[in-house]
Amino acid sequence: LRKQGVVNRDRISQFPEALLLQILSRLPTKDAIATSVLSKRWRSIWKMVPRLEFNSHYQNLHKFSENVARSLLLHKAPILESLHIKVTDRLEGRSESDIYIGIWSGIAFARHVREFVLHLFFKRPVRFPSSMFNSNNTLETLKLKCSVRLDVPSRFCMKSLRTLHLLSVDFIDNKSIRYLISGCPNLENLVIDRGYPNVVRTFVILAPSLKTLSIKDYGRLEDGGYVITAPSLRYLKIKEFSHCGCCLIDNAPMLVEANIGNVSYLANETILGSLKSAKRLFLDLSPLELVNLEMDTRKAEWSNLLALMLESSPKLQVLKLTDQPLDLNKVGVIGGKWNQPKNVPECLLSHLKKFVWKGYDWERGEEKEVATYILKKASQLKNAIFFTSSIQSKELNRLEERCQMIKELDGVVRASSSCHLEFVEW
């Protein structure tokens, strides 16, 4: 290259503008703007970069705000694909902070921004301008983090918004979250990360198009929680509900996967009752306060769900299993494998007193294993009642099989010497 005399030639400037924009889009915004001093060719290229990101890095807030506003005003791209603004202020928070946020948001929305991420670290929350909710028809993603307070108008519509993240965001009143969700009719992805304190006690989420929902809640709302109506919901993740009162999920027939972990016993029961349609379920539950549990044994994987419930319900006193009579037009569930708990559940060691099984089917191997296990391990059991289907006198083989079943169960060495075993024709 030295021999050809091209060492000092500026070859990058000869690239097509589209390629230069791709290069600048991958640089920090401050570096992309700095290229404007290179030459006349570079003076305006950064102004067409579709993605901008500003980070205050503890610099003077007034100066930072002016730089952001000036850069946004100079920006010429017809569509601003993404704008990220992160501000950290050591001070208590100043009254002009609200003005700065309003200026940045106003310019960004006027530039038809599609993704807006606002991440603030102030000692007091800064009010997000409510006028912004009515001034944008192109915004697809909105992510608000930390020191942001929302005052949402009762009537507005952001038809383009598909993704909404609310991370440690404050609300001015209990209605704002409801107004916000209902004002986004095409919302598909929602992330809520709520800390303490928070004025909202019950989050009402009514979202007909919502497909994915992720919630973390570190607050202390034993008398509050979440009420969710999302008929299109497919993926649900709920974590850190250590002090949450309830989580009611109504009408989620399309739910494919639910991941539930570290939730309080108050929320456990309402969540579990809402997950009937889930195809994949990942649970990490806090101990339940259940004393009475009823389960249907004609569902696939029922025995493994039973094992989980026994491990999660240390105070369980009454267990009722029901094998519903089969619909003659349908095929029954094929028996599976009983994976008994690694350690004997606490409820069997100290609390379970009554065990009832309606429609006990001794021909299914897993039912034999479950019944035998409970009789062997339930040391406080007083009554065990097995209801079996009626058998006609001419069905000699089945009569013999039932007699053999009764003999086998009666011969099980029971953990409770006072347990009364009873067989009833159902």
Side-chain angles (χ1 to χ4, degrees), residues 294-338:
E294 297 187 28
M295 278 188 58
D296 185 348
T297 64
R298 277 285 170 184
K299 304 296 183 182
E301 298 294 330
W302 70 269
S303 60
N304 293 324
L305 178 58
L306 173 63
L308 174 65
M309 296 303 296
L310 291 177
E311 291 176 320
S312 303
S313 309
K315 298 184 180 180
L316 189 67
Q317 298 181 25
V318 178
L319 174 61
K320 296 181 180 180
L321 303 178
T322 302
D323 193 335
Q324 298 289 353
L326 284 174
D327 186 333
L328 295 178
N329 296 319
K330 297 180 181 179
V331 178
V333 173
I334 302 299
K337 182 180 180 182
W338 159 247

Side-chain angles (χ1 to χ4, degrees), residues 32-317:
I33 295 175
T35 62
S36 63
V37 302
L38 294 176
S39 67
K40 184 181 293 186
R41 169 83 196 281
W42 288 89
R43 189 174 300 166
S44 298
I45 292 179
W46 76 267
K47 298 177 184 179
M48 300 300 293
V49 172
R51 309 179 73 85
L52 300 177
E53 185 171 346
F54 301 94
N55 192 329
S56 71
H57 294 295
Y58 289 104
Q59 64 181 276
N60 179 274
L61 183 58
H62 179 70
K63 183 178 179 180
F64 173 75
S65 177
E66 286 188 341
N67 289 337
V68 173
R70 185 185 304 111
S71 299
L72 290 175
L73 289 171
L74 289 172
H75 194 258
K76 302 299 182 183
I79 295 293
L80 181 55
E81 294 288 346
S82 175
L83 174 62
H84 291 215
I85 299 178
K86 183 176 181 179
V87 186
T88 304
D89 190 1
R90 297 187 185 93
L91 303 179
E92 291 291 339
R94 290 164 280 197
S95 57
E96 62 265 29
S97 300
D98 293 10
I99 300 174
Y100 297 151
I101 303 304
I103 292 173
W104 303 333
S105 304
I107 299 174
F109 285 13
R111 292 285 186 270
H112 308 293
V113 64
R114 289 182 176 172
E115 179 185 69
F116 186 38
V117 179
L118 185 61
H119 193 172
L120 305 180
F121 280 106
F122 291 143
K123 291 188 177 180
R124 70 168 185 87
V126 177
R127 192 160 175 168
F128 188 80
S130 56
S131 59
M132 295 299 103
F133 292 105
N134 290 312
S135 62
N136 188 284
N137 294 318
T138 62
L139 189 66
E140 298 175 359
T141 299
L142 177 62
K143 298 181 181 181
L144 303 176
K145 303 181 182 182
C146 296
S147 309
V148 180
R149 173 170 291 167
L150 292 178
D151 181 8
V152 184
S154 58
R155 292 185 179 181
F156 80 96
C157 187
M158 299 177 74
K159 291 184 179 181
S160 300
L161 196 71
R162 298 289 191 277
T163 298
L164 176 63
H165 290 196
L166 304 172
L167 309 181
S168 298
V169 169
D170 192 18
F171 292 88
I172 197 168
D173 57 31
N174 212 21
K175 298 178 182 178
S176 287
I177 180 63
R178 191 163 68 245
Y179 293 156
L180 179 58
I181 302 300
S182 62
C184 305
N186 297 307
L187 186 66
E188 296 182 355
N189 310 294
L190 176 60
V191 176
I192 296 175
D193 192 334
R194 188 164 67 151
Y196 177 81
N198 198 297
V199 69
V200 179
R201 305 201 67 77
T202 301
F203 269 56
V204 178
I205 300 174
L206 177 59
S209 300
L210 194 65
K211 295 179 180 179
T212 65
L213 173 61
S214 177
I215 302 176
K216 285 186 180 180
D217 195 315
Y218 299 91
R220 296 178 176 271
L221 295 175
E222 284 83 356
D223 59 341
Y226 293 79
V227 178
I228 302 165
T229 301
S232 300
L233 190 64
R234 289 177 171 82
Y235 300 96
L236 172 68
K237 185 175 183 179
I238 295 178
K239 297 287 184 183
E240 304 299 338
F241 270 40
S242 55
H243 295 89
C244 188
C246 72
C247 183
L248 177 61
I249 305 167
D250 181 36
N251 187 22
M254 301 178 69
L255 192 62
V256 173
E257 181 175 305
N259 191 321
I260 314 296
N262 195 21
V263 299
S264 70
Y265 70 86
L266 293 171
N268 271 339
E269 298 180 38
T270 54
I271 290 175
L272 288 173
S274 305
L275 302 178
K276 296 177 181 178
S277 60
K279 306 300 184 298
R280 295 190 297 273
L281 185 60
F282 303 90
L283 296 176
D284 179 13
L285 301 176
S286 301
L288 293 167
E289 295 291 306
L290 288 176
V291 295
N292 191 317
L293 173 64
E294 297 187 28
M295 278 188 58
D296 185 348
T297 64
R298 277 285 170 184
K299 304 296 183 182
E301 298 294 330
W302 70 269
S303 60
N304 293 324
L305 178 58
L306 173 63
L308 174 65
M309 296 303 296
L310 291 177
E311 291 176 320
S312 303
S313 309
K315 298 184 180 180
L316 189 67
Q317 298 181 25

